[in-house]
Amino acid sequence: LRLPEIDENSNAIQRTVTALIAERRSQLESLLVNLGKAERETLLIFLRARDVAFEPSERYKLVDQVCPACQEDGVATYGIEQGDPEASYREKSNGDWAEYSWQRELYPYAITFNCPVCGLHLDDAQFEAAGLPTELDVEYEETEDPSLGWEPDEDWDRDR
């Protein structure tokens, strides 16, 4: 009889995220429970308008995501890892493949999630346990030819 391996770290992260979500949900519910309908809506409008702190990196992308605790809109911050520039060739109307441009792939990866309404904060290791995407689809951006402006120097001339 062989038992399946248990990843203790994943289980601990899942328990932590479940507890965080339950705590935030409970705190928001206790804040709203004794308010009338109009007061609740007013408070939710103010909560939704709060600024969300995020951790800037060199390049990042902010993406609206539904908060797993309160089902309101939160903000996920994704860092952008840049791939190397690559030439892309396009077929001309006469069938030649002479025209090209340079582009690079951009790989968005999870950094943080913050909800302005309930205050839930998750780091990258907690995204998966909360049901949030840890990566986004690869994107592309146009870039300049990396050899543009390059001139051979003395070392190039002497094969060094």
Side-chain angles (χ1 to χ4, degrees):
L1 177 69
R2 188 164 182 229
L3 297 174
E5 292 183 28
I6 297 173
D7 182 355
E8 293 298 325
N9 191 37
S10 293
N11 288 339
I13 290 171
Q14 183 65 53
R15 287 190 303 271
T16 300
V17 170
T18 301
L20 282 170
I21 290 171
E23 174 194 2
R24 290 285 138 198
R25 187 175 290 145
S26 174
Q27 187 176 19
L28 182 62
E29 288 172 0
S30 67
L31 183 66
L32 300 174
V33 72
N34 293 325
L35 299 177
K37 186 176 180 178
E39 293 168 319
R40 283 177 70 111
E41 283 305 311
T42 301
L43 180 58
L44 284 172
I45 288 169
F46 282 115
L47 290 174
R48 289 178 190 131
R50 289 194 296 185
D51 285 334
V52 175
F54 65 94
E55 298 174 21
S57 61
E58 188 172 311
R59 288 192 69 178
Y60 62 90
K61 179 178 186 172
L62 301 176
V63 178
D64 291 337
Q65 297 281 358
V66 175
C67 177
C70 68
Q71 305 307 306
E72 295 285 341
D73 284 338
V75 177
T77 305
Y78 290 87
I80 306 285
E81 182 178 324
Q82 300 176 147
D84 293 328
E86 294 180 7
S88 61
Y89 295 89
R90 296 192 179 105
E91 186 174 8
K92 294 167 73 175
S93 59
N94 65 1
D96 290 342
W97 290 87
E99 293 183 13
Y100 69 91
S101 64
W102 286 87
Q103 63 183 13
R104 67 174 147 225
E105 293 180 332
L106 304 175
Y107 307 96
Y109 60 92
I111 297 178
T112 60
F113 173 83
N114 292 291
C115 178
V117 177
C118 70
L120 180 66
H121 173 80
L122 301 172
D123 62 29
D124 61 331
Q126 299 169 324
F127 268 54
E128 188 173 341
L132 297 171
T134 57
E135 297 176 345
L136 301 178
D137 292 337
V138 173
E139 299 174 4
Y140 298 89
E141 78 175 356
E142 296 291 321
T143 186
E144 291 183 354
D145 182 340
S147 62
L148 191 66
W150 178 84
E151 293 183 20
D153 61 9
E154 183 177 313
D155 289 333
W156 175 264
D157 291 336
R158 295 182 182 179
D159 291 326
R160 292 194 268 178

